[in-house]
Amino acid sequence: NAGVTQTPKFQVLKTGQSMTLQCAQDMNHNSMYWYRQDPGMGLRLIYYSASEGTTDKGEVPNGYNVSRLNKREFSLRLESAAPSQTSVYFCASSDQRTPPYEQYFGPGTRLTVT
Amino acid sequence: SQQGEEDPQALSIQEGENATMNCSYKTSINNLQWYRQNSGRGLVHLILIRSNEREKHSGRLRVTLDTSKKSSSLLITASRAADTASYFCATARLIQGAQKLVFGQGTRLTINP
């Protein structure tokens, strides 16, 4: 039982390049989330998916797109990377059908845009 | 914008002492959660307190919630070196089947042996 996995662990992009961050969970959770964490800050919600087939914007969605590929997988795409998107990206999942509704986090992807 | 404001931003204490961290927020919530983050790692859920609860315990953790003051506190008793980490409060609102969390900036806790 791996929990929440993310790939890649590290990535360096040049301004204007695109990439997709992958996330998968094996806990049969219905909800999945993408966050970014800037140095010395808490996490900010980028996008979330309440269930398979639905996605919604979070607090900071500009410059990102997401795809809920199936119940297990939720990807985050940067179409044209900018230096302001340098951050650590975390994926999380939760089962909103059963308390305590805690979110389980992946290990993160450290992205640098030059 | 960050809803949670945490205080203090950094806390350094001796092993065995108690550590108290505070969190304030601005809007209505369904519940409030505390997470721990070890350096360079993902977040780990510690405890959740619902909006109709005032106090909750889990092992060495005690959380209080005052919805009239929109504030919460996390107390770690008998601290250990392994408690060294950053601690984040997160307010939760349930929207369309998902739980949207808004995190504070965190308290960096250092336990000195």
Side-chain angles (χ1 to χ4, degrees):
Chain A
N1 194 343
V4 179
T5 57
Q6 293 183 236
T7 55
K9 285 188 169 56
F10 301 93
Q11 184 71 48
V12 179
L13 290 178
K14 294 189 189 312
T15 297
Q17 287 184 321
S18 62
M19 79 161 294
T20 300
L21 281 65
Q22 307 285 355
C23 173
Q25 52 91 9
D26 61 2
M27 296 173 283
N28 201 34
H29 287 169
N30 55 321
S31 299
M32 297 185 74
Y33 310 83
W34 275 105
Y35 296 89
R36 61 176 287 174
Q37 184 179 30
D38 298 321
M41 302 283 287
L43 278 66
R44 290 184 292 170
L45 182 64
I46 304 171
Y47 270 93
Y48 67 97
S49 171
S51 60
E52 187 178 353
T54 69
T55 61
D56 281 289
K57 295 177 181 179
E59 188 182 350
V60 289
N62 291 344
Y64 306 95
N65 284 303
V66 290
S67 295
R68 183 74 182 266
L69 303 170
N70 47 56
K71 190 170 187 180
R72 289 187 62 247
E73 299 172 287
F74 188 38
S75 63
L76 178 73
R77 182 160 179 85
L78 287 70
E79 290 292 350
S80 179
S84 61
Q85 294 178 304
T86 293
S87 191
V88 182
Y89 291 84
F90 290 98
C91 178
S93 70
S94 67
D95 182 354
Q96 292 308 122
R97 298 162 297 181
T98 309
Y101 311 133
E102 66 181 277
Q103 292 190 14
Y104 292 78
F105 284 82
T109 293
R110 191 173 296 272
L111 175 66
T112 301
V113 183
T114 61
Chain B
S1 63
Q2 303 275 161
Q3 170 161 234
E5 299 271 341
E6 296 191 57
D7 168 53
Q9 291 189 350
L11 179 62
S12 181
I13 61 174
Q14 295 301 120
E15 195 166 16
E17 293 181 338
N18 295 341
T20 299
M21 289 159 268
N22 302 297
C23 170
S24 60
Y25 58 92
K26 296 174 184 171
T27 64
S28 63
I29 62 173
N30 293 107
N31 63 69
L32 186 144
Q33 302 177 31
W34 287 88
Y35 287 81
R36 183 185 74 224
Q37 184 179 36
N38 290 91
S39 181
R41 309 289 291 272
L43 275 70
V44 175
H45 181 265
L46 294 176
I47 193 165
L48 179 153
I49 186 164
R50 293 185 175 79
S51 59
N52 61 354
E53 297 177 312
R54 292 295 167 260
E55 187 171 313
K56 200 160 182 182
H57 297 255
S58 176
R60 294 184 295 114
L61 304 179
R62 172 177 167 255
V63 170
T64 62
L65 179 65
D66 186 335
T67 52
S68 66
K69 295 181 179 177
K70 290 186 167 58
S71 67
S72 175
S73 68
L74 172 68
L75 169 67
I76 303 174
T77 61
S79 64
R80 305 167 181 168
D83 295 329
T84 294
S86 291
Y87 292 80
F88 295 90
C89 70
T91 53
R93 296 189 67 191
L94 301 177
I95 298 177
Q96 296 177 329
Q99 179 174 232
K100 295 180 71 173
L101 295 182
V102 178
F103 285 84
Q105 292 186 337
T107 293
R108 192 169 61 255
L109 176 64
T110 302
I111 308 299
N112 302 303

PDB file of all heavy atoms in Angstrom, chain B residues 60-84:
ATOM      1  N   ARG B  60      -0.146  12.736  23.094  1.00  0.00           N
ATOM      2  CA  ARG B  60       0.445  13.921  23.730  1.00  0.00           C
ATOM      3  C   ARG B  60      -0.079  15.229  23.143  1.00  0.00           C
ATOM      4  O   ARG B  60       0.416  16.307  23.478  1.00  0.00           O
ATOM      5  CB  ARG B  60       1.968  13.857  23.584  1.00  0.00           C
ATOM      6  CG  ARG B  60       2.628  12.713  24.353  1.00  0.00           C
ATOM      7  CD  ARG B  60       4.157  12.769  24.250  1.00  0.00           C
ATOM      8  NE  ARG B  60       4.613  12.565  22.882  1.00  0.00           N
ATOM      9  CZ  ARG B  60       5.228  13.488  22.157  1.00  0.00           C
ATOM     10  NH1 ARG B  60       5.466  14.694  22.661  1.00  0.00           N
ATOM     11  NH2 ARG B  60       5.628  13.206  20.934  1.00  0.00           N
ATOM     12  N   LEU B  61      -1.047  15.142  22.249  1.00  0.00           N
ATOM     13  CA  LEU B  61      -1.591  16.329  21.598  1.00  0.00           C
ATOM     14  C   LEU B  61      -2.919  16.729  22.234  1.00  0.00           C
ATOM     15  O   LEU B  61      -3.754  15.887  22.539  1.00  0.00           O
ATOM     16  CB  LEU B  61      -1.831  16.060  20.109  1.00  0.00           C
ATOM     17  CG  LEU B  61      -0.648  15.582  19.279  1.00  0.00           C
ATOM     18  CD1 LEU B  61      -1.082  15.359  17.837  1.00  0.00           C
ATOM     19  CD2 LEU B  61       0.506  16.553  19.355  1.00  0.00           C
ATOM     20  N   ARG B  62      -3.061  18.052  22.413  1.00  0.00           N
ATOM     21  CA  ARG B  62      -4.339  18.588  22.866  1.00  0.00           C
ATOM     22  C   ARG B  62      -4.664  19.784  21.983  1.00  0.00           C
ATOM     23  O   ARG B  62      -3.853  20.696  21.840  1.00  0.00           O
ATOM     24  CB  ARG B  62      -4.264  19.018  24.324  1.00  0.00           C
ATOM     25  CG  ARG B  62      -5.500  19.763  24.829  1.00  0.00           C
ATOM     26  CD  ARG B  62      -5.362  20.090  26.301  1.00  0.00           C
ATOM     27  NE  ARG B  62      -6.384  21.052  26.727  1.00  0.00           N
ATOM     28  CZ  ARG B  62      -6.145  22.338  26.972  1.00  0.00           C
ATOM     29  NH1 ARG B  62      -4.931  22.822  26.859  1.00  0.00           N
ATOM     30  NH2 ARG B  62      -7.122  23.137  27.353  1.00  0.00           N
ATOM     31  N   VAL B  63      -5.840  19.762  21.389  1.00  0.00           N
ATOM     32  CA  VAL B  63      -6.271  20.853  20.524  1.00  0.00           C
ATOM     33  C   VAL B  63      -7.510  21.501  21.123  1.00  0.00           C
ATOM     34  O   VAL B  63      -8.396  20.807  21.621  1.00  0.00           O
ATOM     35  CB  VAL B  63      -6.604  20.339  19.106  1.00  0.00           C
ATOM     36  CG1 VAL B  63      -7.276  21.430  18.291  1.00  0.00           C
ATOM     37  CG2 VAL B  63      -5.347  19.886  18.401  1.00  0.00           C
ATOM     38  N   THR B  64      -7.541  22.817  21.098  1.00  0.00           N
ATOM     39  CA  THR B  64      -8.746  23.549  21.493  1.00  0.00           C
ATOM     40  C   THR B  64      -9.230  24.386  20.318  1.00  0.00           C
ATOM     41  O   THR B  64      -8.452  24.752  19.433  1.00  0.00           O
ATOM     42  CB  THR B  64      -8.472  24.468  22.696  1.00  0.00           C
ATOM     43  OG1 THR B  64      -7.486  25.438  22.318  1.00  0.00           O
ATOM     44  CG2 THR B  64      -7.987  23.672  23.898  1.00  0.00           C
ATOM     45  N   LEU B  65     -10.512  24.668  20.333  1.00  0.00           N
ATOM     46  CA  LEU B  65     -11.116  25.482  19.289  1.00  0.00           C
ATOM     47  C   LEU B  65     -12.108  26.438  19.926  1.00  0.00           C
ATOM     48  O   LEU B  65     -12.972  26.014  20.697  1.00  0.00           O
ATOM     49  CB  LEU B  65     -11.830  24.595  18.266  1.00  0.00           C
ATOM     50  CG  LEU B  65     -12.546  25.320  17.120  1.00  0.00           C
ATOM     51  CD1 LEU B  65     -11.537  26.061  16.237  1.00  0.00           C
ATOM     52  CD2 LEU B  65     -13.360  24.338  16.290  1.00  0.00           C
ATOM     53  N   ASP B  66     -11.965  27.705  19.618  1.00  0.00           N
ATOM     54  CA  ASP B  66     -12.899  28.735  20.090  1.00  0.00           C
ATOM     55  C   ASP B  66     -13.478  29.413  18.848  1.00  0.00           C
ATOM     56  O   ASP B  66     -12.832  30.290  18.264  1.00  0.00           O
ATOM     57  CB  ASP B  66     -12.175  29.740  20.984  1.00  0.00           C
ATOM     58  CG  ASP B  66     -13.127  30.746  21.621  1.00  0.00           C
ATOM     59  OD1 ASP B  66     -14.211  30.990  21.051  1.00  0.00           O
ATOM     60  OD2 ASP B  66     -12.789  31.294  22.673  1.00  0.00           O
ATOM     61  N   THR B  67     -14.655  29.002  18.435  1.00  0.00           N
ATOM     62  CA  THR B  67     -15.233  29.542  17.204  1.00  0.00           C
ATOM     63  C   THR B  67     -15.683  30.998  17.377  1.00  0.00           C
ATOM     64  O   THR B  67     -15.752  31.729  16.395  1.00  0.00           O
ATOM     65  CB  THR B  67     -16.419  28.692  16.730  1.00  0.00           C
ATOM     66  OG1 THR B  67     -17.345  28.535  17.811  1.00  0.00           O
ATOM     67  CG2 THR B  67     -15.941  27.327  16.264  1.00  0.00           C
ATOM     68  N   SER B  68     -15.958  31.415  18.614  1.00  0.00           N
ATOM     69  CA  SER B  68     -16.356  32.814  18.811  1.00  0.00           C
ATOM     70  C   SER B  68     -15.166  33.744  18.583  1.00  0.00           C
ATOM     71  O   SER B  68     -15.338  34.867  18.108  1.00  0.00           O
ATOM     72  CB  SER B  68     -16.913  33.014  20.220  1.00  0.00           C
ATOM     73  OG  SER B  68     -15.905  32.822  21.196  1.00  0.00           O
ATOM     74  N   LYS B  69     -13.972  33.264  18.893  1.00  0.00           N
ATOM     75  CA  LYS B  69     -12.757  34.054  18.670  1.00  0.00           C
ATOM     76  C   LYS B  69     -12.056  33.646  17.383  1.00  0.00           C
ATOM     77  O   LYS B  69     -11.025  34.223  17.023  1.00  0.00           O
ATOM     78  CB  LYS B  69     -11.788  33.892  19.841  1.00  0.00           C
ATOM     79  CG  LYS B  69     -12.310  34.444  21.151  1.00  0.00           C
ATOM     80  CD  LYS B  69     -11.283  34.268  22.258  1.00  0.00           C
ATOM     81  CE  LYS B  69     -11.811  34.844  23.575  1.00  0.00           C
ATOM     82  NZ  LYS B  69     -10.864  34.635  24.686  1.00  0.00           N
ATOM     83  N   LYS B  70     -12.586  32.638  16.708  1.00  0.00           N
ATOM     84  CA  LYS B  70     -11.969  32.120  15.491  1.00  0.00           C
ATOM     85  C   LYS B  70     -10.495  31.803  15.744  1.00  0.00           C
ATOM     86  O   LYS B  70      -9.583  32.328  15.057  1.00  0.00           O
ATOM     87  CB  LYS B  70     -12.142  33.093  14.328  1.00  0.00           C
ATOM     88  CG  LYS B  70     -13.578  33.205  13.830  1.00  0.00           C
ATOM     89  CD  LYS B  70     -13.681  34.065  12.568  1.00  0.00           C
ATOM     90  CE  LYS B  70     -15.023  33.921  11.899  1.00  0.00           C
ATOM     91  NZ  LYS B  70     -16.161  34.265  12.760  1.00  0.00           N
ATOM     92  N   SER B  71     -10.269  30.977  16.732  1.00  0.00           N
ATOM     93  CA  SER B  71      -8.895  30.630  17.056  1.00  0.00           C
ATOM     94  C   SER B  71      -8.809  29.195  17.551  1.00  0.00           C
ATOM     95  O   SER B  71      -9.794  28.626  18.057  1.00  0.00           O
ATOM     96  CB  SER B  71      -8.329  31.594  18.107  1.00  0.00           C
ATOM     97  OG  SER B  71      -8.993  31.410  19.332  1.00  0.00           O
ATOM     98  N   SER B  72      -7.621  28.623  17.413  1.00  0.00           N
ATOM     99  CA  SER B  72      -7.344  27.268  17.859  1.00  0.00           C
ATOM    100  C   SER B  72      -5.928  27.225  18.421  1.00  0.00           C
ATOM    101  O   SER B  72      -5.086  28.059  18.077  1.00  0.00           O
ATOM    102  CB  SER B  72      -7.453  26.298  16.676  1.00  0.00           C
ATOM    103  OG  SER B  72      -7.075  24.987  17.044  1.00  0.00           O
ATOM    104  N   SER B  73      -5.688  26.261  19.299  1.00  0.00           N
ATOM    105  CA  SER B  73      -4.334  26.070  19.787  1.00  0.00           C
ATOM    106  C   SER B  73      -4.006  24.589  19.782  1.00  0.00           C
ATOM    107  O   SER B  73      -4.879  23.734  19.940  1.00  0.00           O
ATOM    108  CB  SER B  73      -4.174  26.643  21.197  1.00  0.00           C
ATOM    109  OG  SER B  73      -4.930  25.888  22.113  1.00  0.00           O
ATOM    110  N   LEU B  74      -2.724  24.303  19.561  1.00  0.00           N
ATOM    111  CA  LEU B  74      -2.198  22.941  19.612  1.00  0.00           C
ATOM    112  C   LEU B  74      -1.162  22.888  20.717  1.00  0.00           C
ATOM    113  O   LEU B  74      -0.206  23.673  20.704  1.00  0.00           O
ATOM    114  CB  LEU B  74      -1.556  22.555  18.274  1.00  0.00           C
ATOM    115  CG  LEU B  74      -0.794  21.231  18.256  1.00  0.00           C
ATOM    116  CD1 LEU B  74      -1.751  20.049  18.406  1.00  0.00           C
ATOM    117  CD2 LEU B  74       0.015  21.083  16.959  1.00  0.00           C
ATOM    118  N   LEU B  75      -1.351  21.983  21.653  1.00  0.00           N
ATOM    119  CA  LEU B  75      -0.400  21.776  22.741  1.00  0.00           C
ATOM    120  C   LEU B  75       0.230  20.411  22.573  1.00  0.00           C
ATOM    121  O   LEU B  75      -0.475  19.408  22.430  1.00  0.00           O
ATOM    122  CB  LEU B  75      -1.125  21.857  24.097  1.00  0.00           C
ATOM    123  CG  LEU B  75      -0.332  21.400  25.323  1.00  0.00           C
ATOM    124  CD1 LEU B  75       0.830  22.350  25.595  1.00  0.00           C
ATOM    125  CD2 LEU B  75      -1.240  21.286  26.542  1.00  0.00           C
ATOM    126  N   ILE B  76       1.550  20.389  22.557  1.00  0.00           N
ATOM    127  CA  ILE B  76       2.296  19.131  22.565  1.00  0.00           C
ATOM    128  C   ILE B  76       2.947  19.021  23.938  1.00  0.00           C
ATOM    129  O   ILE B  76       3.763  19.875  24.311  1.00  0.00           O
ATOM    130  CB  ILE B  76       3.371  19.099  21.464  1.00  0.00           C
ATOM    131  CG1 ILE B  76       2.754  19.336  20.091  1.00  0.00           C
ATOM    132  CG2 ILE B  76       4.126  17.769  21.487  1.00  0.00           C
ATOM    133  CD1 ILE B  76       3.776  19.459  18.962  1.00  0.00           C
ATOM    134  N   THR B  77       2.592  18.001  24.677  1.00  0.00           N
ATOM    135  CA  THR B  77       3.158  17.844  26.014  1.00  0.00           C
ATOM    136  C   THR B  77       4.390  16.949  25.981  1.00  0.00           C
ATOM    137  O   THR B  77       4.570  16.136  25.068  1.00  0.00           O
ATOM    138  CB  THR B  77       2.125  17.235  26.973  1.00  0.00           C
ATOM    139  OG1 THR B  77       1.754  15.939  26.475  1.00  0.00           O
ATOM    140  CG2 THR B  77       0.887  18.112  27.083  1.00  0.00           C
ATOM    141  N   ALA B  78       5.259  17.150  26.966  1.00  0.00           N
ATOM    142  CA  ALA B  78       6.458  16.315  27.125  1.00  0.00           C
ATOM    143  C   ALA B  78       7.186  16.143  25.797  1.00  0.00           C
ATOM    144  O   ALA B  78       7.346  15.022  25.306  1.00  0.00           O
ATOM    145  CB  ALA B  78       6.078  14.960  27.715  1.00  0.00           C
ATOM    146  N   SER B  79       7.615  17.250  25.226  1.00  0.00           N
ATOM    147  CA  SER B  79       8.181  17.234  23.869  1.00  0.00           C
ATOM    148  C   SER B  79       9.412  16.335  23.764  1.00  0.00           C
ATOM    149  O   SER B  79      10.149  16.119  24.736  1.00  0.00           O
ATOM    150  CB  SER B  79       8.523  18.652  23.433  1.00  0.00           C
ATOM    151  OG  SER B  79       9.529  19.188  24.266  1.00  0.00           O
ATOM    152  N   ARG B  80       9.611  15.839  22.545  1.00  0.00           N
ATOM    153  CA  ARG B  80      10.746  14.965  22.246  1.00  0.00           C
ATOM    154  C   ARG B  80      11.499  15.540  21.052  1.00  0.00           C
ATOM    155  O   ARG B  80      10.931  16.290  20.266  1.00  0.00           O
ATOM    156  CB  ARG B  80      10.246  13.560  21.903  1.00  0.00           C
ATOM    157  CG  ARG B  80       9.367  12.935  22.950  1.00  0.00           C
ATOM    158  CD  ARG B  80       8.677  11.703  22.402  1.00  0.00           C
ATOM    159  NE  ARG B  80       7.788  11.091  23.393  1.00  0.00           N
ATOM    160  CZ  ARG B  80       6.905  10.147  23.115  1.00  0.00           C
ATOM    161  NH1 ARG B  80       6.788   9.689  21.876  1.00  0.00           N
ATOM    162  NH2 ARG B  80       6.144   9.650  24.068  1.00  0.00           N
ATOM    163  N   ALA B  81      12.738  15.149  20.882  1.00  0.00           N
ATOM    164  CA  ALA B  81      13.524  15.628  19.742  1.00  0.00           C
ATOM    165  C   ALA B  81      12.832  15.316  18.420  1.00  0.00           C
ATOM    166  O   ALA B  81      12.891  16.107  17.473  1.00  0.00           O
ATOM    167  CB  ALA B  81      14.919  15.008  19.780  1.00  0.00           C
ATOM    168  N   ALA B  82      12.131  14.191  18.362  1.00  0.00           N
ATOM    169  CA  ALA B  82      11.448  13.784  17.133  1.00  0.00           C
ATOM    170  C   ALA B  82      10.269  14.682  16.786  1.00  0.00           C
ATOM    171  O   ALA B  82       9.726  14.614  15.675  1.00  0.00           O
ATOM    172  CB  ALA B  82      10.967  12.342  17.260  1.00  0.00           C
ATOM    173  N   ASP B  83       9.844  15.547  17.728  1.00  0.00           N
ATOM    174  CA  ASP B  83       8.754  16.482  17.451  1.00  0.00           C
ATOM    175  C   ASP B  83       9.226  17.690  16.647  1.00  0.00           C
ATOM    176  O   ASP B  83       8.409  18.512  16.215  1.00  0.00           O
ATOM    177  CB  ASP B  83       8.117  16.976  18.757  1.00  0.00           C
ATOM    178  CG  ASP B  83       7.428  15.868  19.531  1.00  0.00           C
ATOM    179  OD1 ASP B  83       6.911  14.929  18.893  1.00  0.00           O
ATOM    180  OD2 ASP B  83       7.410  15.948  20.777  1.00  0.00           O
ATOM    181  N   THR B  84      10.544  17.824  16.474  1.00  0.00           N
ATOM    182  CA  THR B  84      11.076  18.929  15.675  1.00  0.00           C
ATOM    183  C   THR B  84      10.518  18.857  14.256  1.00  0.00           C
ATOM    184  O   THR B  84      10.709  17.863  13.554  1.00  0.00           O
ATOM    185  CB  THR B  84      12.617  18.871  15.638  1.00  0.00           C
ATOM    186  OG1 THR B  84      13.119  19.116  16.953  1.00  0.00           O
ATOM    187  CG2 THR B  84      13.185  19.896  14.672  1.00  0.00           C
TER     188      THR B  84
END
